[in-house]
Amino acid sequence: MKLYVGNLPYAVDDSRLRELFGAFGAPLSATVVIDRAMGRSKGYGFVEMADEEARKAIAALNQSLLDGRTIWVNEESAKG
């Protein structure tokens, strides 16, 4: 399952994102989206992990605080 993680603090990088979700299983990937022009985080990213682990991560992390910011975690919606 691919998860969208929004409202990330700008200091969060791929390894920190992987570490955060690692508490619920082994992420297959964890990527913070970077603004190429600015060279910094756009404040969101994506994590891929097994379905059951992803559901646990959503339940625990959605609307939780990370470095003073409330993050959003949900299943990435299909884009048509």
Side-chain angles (χ1 to χ4, degrees), residues 6-54:
N7 204 36
L8 286 171
Y10 294 115
V12 172
D13 60 9
D14 293 355
S15 62
R16 176 94 187 276
L17 191 60
R18 179 179 294 276
E19 179 184 316
L20 178 66
F21 281 81
F24 305 96
L28 303 172
S29 67
T31 307
V32 174
V33 177
I34 302 296
D35 181 325
R36 291 182 185 170
M38 301 294 288
R40 69 173 194 153
S41 167
K42 285 189 170 186
Y44 69 94
F46 299 95
V47 175
E48 286 185 85
M49 55 196 315
D51 289 359
E52 188 59 34
E53 295 168 348

Side-chain angles (χ1 to χ4, degrees), residues 48-70:
E48 286 185 85
M49 55 196 315
D51 289 359
E52 188 59 34
E53 295 168 348
R55 285 185 195 86
K56 289 178 184 176
I58 291 170
L61 296 175
N62 188 40
Q63 298 186 4
S64 67
L65 283 177
L66 179 63
D67 297 346
R69 293 189 75 166
T70 301

